[in-house]
Amino acid sequence: MKTSPLSRRGQRGWTLTELLIGMAAASVLCAGLITGAISLLKSFAASKHHIVAQAEQMRLTDYMNLDLRRALTVSTDNSRLTITIPDYYDSDGLPRTPKIQGGTAVYGTSSKEIVYYKNGATIYRQEGTRLTALANDVSNFQLTFLDLGQSIQVSVTFVSRFQFSTATRASSRDGTATTTTTLLRNKRQG
């Protein structure tokens, strides 16, 4: 049985030209989706690194400010910060009871030394034999000793992992700098 030409007209396929145009449009759409996904992944990675760097900056400044406020002696040599603090605990690990002498809390004659230093791209805090890495991706660790009212200024520059293509210019930033100035609570002994 022969079908009429009118009934075959509804069963026609796509022409080669229509197929090529459809594939080109789909390819452009897929390329746009892939480019957008890559951009979103890069943005997410940059945001994640920024948040981690901020957390490390806060942790570093919190540790240093706490130790500097309790400092009995402070010395710097541009790359190391050495702090001597009172030993608040006795040999059994129990807290010492302070005595107030001349407006200063005195915890006895024993003390501990804490050292902050940069090794490679990491800043470490060393208390006795305990070594703690506080911050990574550090490009610069500057210590400025301001003795105007017993204050210490510390500046730390963190490396930016994600930069624009114009980052090779001399005017571009090389990182994020965190600066803190701490007024020493105790009268320094040396």
Side-chain angles (χ1 to χ4, degrees):
M1 174 175 186
K2 238 178 165 179
T3 59
S4 73
L6 291 177
S7 64
R8 271 196 300 147
R9 198 175 268 179
Q11 297 176 356
R12 263 199 248 178
W14 294 46
T15 65
L16 183 60
T17 307
E18 292 171 335
L19 188 62
L20 289 175
I21 290 173
M23 286 176 50
S27 297
V28 168
L29 192 63
C30 285
L33 286 174
I34 289 171
T35 303
I38 290 171
S39 295
L40 283 174
L41 287 172
K42 283 184 178 181
S43 177
F44 175 74
S47 298
K48 184 178 175 184
H49 177 263
H50 182 72
I51 289 170
V52 167
Q54 276 187 331
E56 289 179 350
Q57 291 169 14
M58 286 188 293
R59 180 176 49 246
L60 176 65
T61 56
D62 284 347
Y63 268 96
M64 282 196 306
N65 286 335
L66 176 67
D67 290 336
L68 286 169
R69 281 193 301 269
R70 333 184 266 182
L72 295 172
T73 63
V74 177
S75 63
T76 64
D77 65 359
N78 290 334
S79 63
R80 294 174 83 83
L81 175 64
T82 305
I83 303 167
T84 305
I85 63 170
D87 193 358
Y88 296 107
Y89 298 96
D90 61 16
S91 59
D92 297 329
L94 299 172
R96 295 180 195 266
T97 304
K99 294 178 181 150
I100 306 298
Q101 294 176 349
T104 302
V106 178
Y107 288 86
T109 58
S110 62
S111 60
K112 292 193 286 188
E113 186 175 272
I114 298 173
V115 179
Y116 289 89
Y117 64 93
K118 179 179 176 265
N119 186 8
T122 304
I123 293 182
Y124 293 97
R125 177 185 188 267
Q126 183 174 0
E127 181 179 343
T129 58
R130 188 175 4 162
L131 189 65
T132 306
L134 293 178
N136 297 310
D137 294 333
V138 176
S139 66
N140 196 1
F141 183 49
Q142 286 185 329
L143 303 166
T144 307
F145 188 68
L146 302 173
D147 204 7
L148 309 169
Q150 296 181 318
S151 63
I152 300 265
Q153 185 175 17
V154 179
S155 177
V156 182
T157 303
F158 287 81
V159 177
S160 295
R161 280 193 196 163
F162 299 94
Q163 297 180 356
F164 294 108
S165 61
T166 60
T168 56
R169 287 193 216 156
S171 63
S172 68
R173 292 188 323 190
D174 64 347
T176 302
T178 299
T179 303
T180 180
T181 303
T182 305
L183 181 65
L184 304 176
R185 180 182 302 158
N186 294 322
K187 184 177 180 182
R188 282 196 327 277
Q189 297 169 352

